[in-house]
Amino acid sequence: MKEIVRIGGISSSSSTFDSIVDEIICSSCGNSKNIFIHLNLNNFSILKKDGRLLNRYGTQCRLFCEGIGMKSAVFLTGQGWNNDTNGTDLLPILFEHLANHKMKVFLLGASRQVIDKTVQNINNMFPDVIISGYHHGYIEKSDYSSINGMITDASPDLLILAMGMQKESDFIFENYNNISAGAIWCVGGLFDFISGNLVRAPKIIRKLRLEWLFRFLLQPKAKFQRIVITPFWFLKTVLFEHWQKK
């Protein structure tokens, strides 16, 4: 297993959950502002199709491999069987450390109902985690100023964004210099799982690496692009290109 893997010109980390937690905690406590993103096939396709977006993230961005798609791609390109550092399994490990360090978190994303339930469940599961503020993710650019004011007043160490890569990146780069948190963790649809709005696959299915199939069967229309179209695009434009060069 390589610590840094490279697929289609994009480098990401094949790290462990503990290492990611250490990085996020250090960033939250430090002077530099870092962005942490889980690189699954969907996020990879967005970055690959929009090179400007990847350049904007620059050196402040840390990408971590997520999902069986990226795991398989790393293996098929001869870089070993890497770790899958998905956000759902990372969150409880991270939150235990946040509680121990008395660090504050601001949550931004999902619908009003989902974010309310997310905060309620986090308070129940991790009562020592300090949620200094939260807001739903159905916002426009005209809302950015007021949201930034809320974040500044809350003075979080960690800002968690759950709006999908496009909306997360729009918010980050419109407000990067004004965001007071030392670390920004982008988690996509994670709040849907924390709130209970979506159910995770049973452990046996996750161990068999078939969680993607479980989600597809539950939401075939919503997940068709991500689970059917994107992998074929990835196979054609990324893996074939790699094999041809070899």
Side-chain angles (χ1 to χ4, degrees):
M1 182 191 74
K2 294 184 178 180
E3 183 175 351
I4 300 297
V5 296
R6 189 170 178 81
I7 303 290
I10 299 177
S11 296
S12 59
S13 174
S14 174
S15 190
T16 64
F17 288 121
D18 288 338
S19 294
I20 298 175
V21 167
D22 288 343
E23 287 195 47
I24 294 177
I25 295 296
C26 288
S27 178
S28 299
C29 297
N31 296 321
S32 61
K33 191 184 303 177
N34 293 298
I35 306 163
F36 299 89
I37 298 174
H38 296 269
L39 189 67
N40 52 38
L41 283 190
N42 184 65
N43 288 346
F44 178 94
S45 68
I46 294 172
L47 292 176
K48 184 69 174 176
K49 293 173 183 177
D50 187 355
R52 294 174 301 173
L53 179 57
L54 185 61
N55 289 333
R56 289 180 76 185
Y57 277 120
T59 57
Q60 287 75 36
C61 179
R62 290 283 282 140
L63 297 169
F64 300 101
C65 284
E66 176 183 271
I68 188 61
M70 288 301 297
K71 195 177 183 78
S72 299
V74 170
F75 178 77
L76 291 171
T77 53
Q79 300 177 80
W81 194 239
N82 72 310
N83 291 319
D84 174 8
T85 48
N86 67 82
T88 313
D89 291 328
L90 174 63
L91 181 134
I93 304 171
L94 174 61
F95 273 29
E96 287 181 6
H97 284 74
L98 292 175
N100 291 336
H101 288 80
K102 305 298 181 183
M103 302 177 77
K104 294 186 289 185
V105 183
F106 192 101
L107 310 177
L108 176 60
S111 66
R112 189 184 303 274
Q113 180 180 6
V114 169
I115 188 66
D116 287 344
K117 188 63 176 177
T118 296
V119 171
Q120 179 183 333
N121 286 348
I122 290 175
N123 285 333
N124 290 336
M125 293 184 292
F126 308 99
D128 293 327
V129 169
I130 305 170
I131 298 179
S132 59
Y134 65 94
H135 196 280
H136 65 80
Y138 285 75
I139 58 177
E140 304 294 336
K141 286 191 175 182
S142 58
D143 301 316
Y144 285 175
S145 179
S146 61
I147 297 297
N148 266 324
M150 291 178 61
I151 296 173
T152 299
D153 292 341
S155 62
D157 301 290
L158 172 64
L159 170 63
I160 302 180
L161 299 180
M163 300 185 290
M165 175 166 274
Q166 294 285 15
K167 288 186 176 181
E168 289 165 1
S169 64
D170 287 344
F171 182 82
I172 289 171
F173 296 117
E174 191 75 23
N175 304 282
Y176 183 81
N177 292 329
N178 298 319
I179 294 174
S180 56
I184 303 168
W185 182 28
C186 300
V187 298
L190 180 59
F191 291 174
D192 281 317
F193 292 100
I194 302 174
S195 66
N197 187 48
L198 291 178
V199 180
R200 284 200 80 183
K203 286 185 178 180
I204 183 62
I205 293 179
R206 300 204 301 267
K207 287 183 177 180
L208 292 172
R209 312 299 302 176
L210 292 174
E211 189 168 10
W212 60 272
L213 179 59
F214 178 84
R215 294 181 65 183
F216 179 67
L217 292 174
L218 289 180
Q219 300 175 293
K221 290 185 178 180
K223 299 302 179 184
F224 185 80
Q225 174 72 35
R226 176 175 294 205
I227 293 177
V228 178
I229 301 300
T230 298
F232 276 107
W233 166 86
F234 186 87
L235 181 67
K236 177 182 177 182
T237 62
V238 179
L239 293 185
F240 279 5
E241 177 183 308
H242 171 82
W243 292 331
Q244 286 175 345
K245 287 180 179 179
K246 290 294 182 180

